[in-house]
Amino acid sequence: MNTRSPLSVNLKSVAATPEAATAGESTGTSKRFTRRTLLRVMVGGTALAFTAEAGRVVFGNNEHTVIPGKVYRSAQLSQKKLERVIAEKQIRTVINLRGCCPQTAWYMGDARATHAASISQEDLTFSAKRFPPPQEIARLIEVFDRTEYPIIMHCARGADRTGVASAIAIILLTDADMPAVRRQLWPRYGHVAVGRTAVLDRFFDFYEEWLARQGIPHSQQNFRHWVANEYCPGPFRAEMAVVAPLPLVVPAGRGFIVTLRATNRAIEPWQFRTGGSGGIRLRYSLYKQDGTFLYRGHAGAVNRIVYPGEAIEFAAGFPTVVAPGQHMLHSDLLDCQPIDLLDTDFAQYGSSPLITELEVKA
C-alpha cells in the first residue's frame, strides 16, 4: 500500500515553493526590465529628437514647411542655399522680414538669388522686440493676397518675426483655429515668449481679447477687420512732432534745445516716472547726414500719466555741434528698462520714430 504521510506532502510543497517564487520573480523582473528599457528608449529618442531640432534652429537654417507646397519658413539663408531652395521648391516669392538693407551682404545675396531666378522679392520691416507695426501688417496681408506661390519667408533666425508672418499666413490661407495658428510661435522654431520677444505673442493676445469682447469667433474676415480698423500696438503708439517752425536751423558753436511733442494715440495710458525704475522716456539722437552718430539723450523723468488723446512736451537738449551742415534728428519713446537705455534699436513698439532734418549754420 503506497501511502504518503501529510508530512511528506508538506515537505514536497515547501521544497517546490522557492522554485516557483524564483520563477515568478524572474518573470516580474523581466517585465519590469522590458518596461524600463522601453521607457529609456522613448526618453532617449525624445531627447535625441529635441537635440536635433534645437541644433537645426541654433546652428542650421531653421527650415520648416508652414503649408505644404505653398508656404515655407527659414532663417537667413546664404545665397547658394537660397538658390537651391528656390529650385527645389519652385519658389516664386521670397519675403524678407528684415527690411531693405542694400548695404549688407545678406540682402544682396537675397537680391542676386531672386534676380537670377526671375522671381519676386518682398521687403518688409518687422522687429523681434516690438509689436508688429500696423502698416507693415497691412503690407504683409497685401503680399499674401497678391503674390505668386510657393513662397518662403525669413528673418535673421527664422524664429520670431518669421513666426508672426507664418501665423498670419495660416490665418489667411487655411481654416485653422487659433491654437494651430499660434503654434508657429513655439520653441520648436526658436521662439521663446520671454522678455521683449513676448510682445509678438501679445499681438495675437490682443486679437483674441478683441474677439472675446465682441463675442465673435475667429475667422479670416474678422482678422482682416481687426488689423485694418482695431489693432493698436499696446501703449506705445505715439504721434511725434517738433514744436517749432520747420525747417529746424540752429547756430554752430553752442548747444541748443528742441521742443518735441508726443501725443498718445494708443489704447492705454502712458506712465512717466522719475528715477530709473521703469516708466516711459523720450529718447532723442542726432546724426550727420551720412548716418554718423553724434549724440543721444533722454527726457521725460517726471511723474505724470498721459491718457489716450493727451500730449506731453519734452525739452531735448543738445551739446555744441562743431561741424556746420545738414543733420538728422531722431526721436522716439521707449519703455524705460535698463537694457533699453543702452539698446541701439528704437523701442517704440508699433510706431515709427520721428525723423527730422536739422541744419547747423555757421
Side-chain angles (χ1 to χ4, degrees), residues 316-338:
F318 294 86
T320 300
V321 178
V322 177
Q326 293 294 328
H327 297 74
M328 302 300 295
L329 167 62
H330 288 219
S331 58
D332 201 2
L333 296 183
L334 68 155
D335 189 6
C336 183
Q337 302 297 331

Side-chain angles (χ1 to χ4, degrees), residues 45-64 75 157 159 186-192:
T46 302
L48 184 62
F50 178 81
T51 302
E53 191 70 19
R56 178 162 64 159
V57 171
V58 177
F59 303 108
N61 296 314
N62 204 9
E63 294 180 65
H64 299 274
R157 295 191 307 116
W186 268 19
R188 177 193 177 192
Y189 305 108
H191 172 76
V192 181

